[in-house]
Amino acid sequence: EGIKGLPLRNFSPSPSNAVTALEPTDGKSAYDIFTCMKDIYHIYVCPNGGELRDKIFRVGHIGHIKDSDCDALLAALKSMYAGEKQ
């Protein structure tokens, strides 16, 4: 629900309850998103390798993940797409 309004979509038609693969729909490199989240916002999402390196990144949501962690990621993605930090 939180990614609505962002140029991201679920990569899988049947998402996992542990990891969500997200695909940028605006042509932005998924690896660049991973790098921005890590270097600018200090949030680690999972990069993908191989032919999907620039197509998807993954967000884990199993284990000790709090609502505030999800909120921080969403705020960072919104900030990145708004051009506030890049």
Side-chain angles (χ1 to χ4, degrees):
E1 290 296 311
I3 65 166
K4 286 184 179 176
L6 292 173
L8 298 168
R9 70 173 167 222
N10 250 331
F11 183 70
S12 172
S14 55
S16 162
N17 62 358
V19 175
T20 297
L22 296 174
E23 179 180 16
T25 59
D26 63 345
K28 190 168 189 70
S29 163
Y31 194 82
D32 289 347
I33 293 172
F34 155 74
T35 302
C36 180
M37 290 295 109
K38 176 178 68 75
D39 294 345
I40 307 285
Y41 297 96
H42 310 290
I43 295 174
Y44 285 81
V45 295
C46 302
N48 210 67
E51 64 186 48
L52 294 177
R53 178 182 189 261
D54 292 311
K55 187 168 178 146
I56 66 170
F57 65 95
R58 292 164 286 144
V59 176
H61 42 80
I62 191 169
H64 190 65
I65 304 293
K66 301 175 288 212
D67 287 345
S68 60
D69 298 323
C70 295
D71 293 342
L73 173 61
L74 290 170
L77 288 168
K78 289 175 183 176
S79 175
M80 180 196 69
Y81 274 108
E84 294 171 12
K85 292 182 182 178
Q86 289 194 34

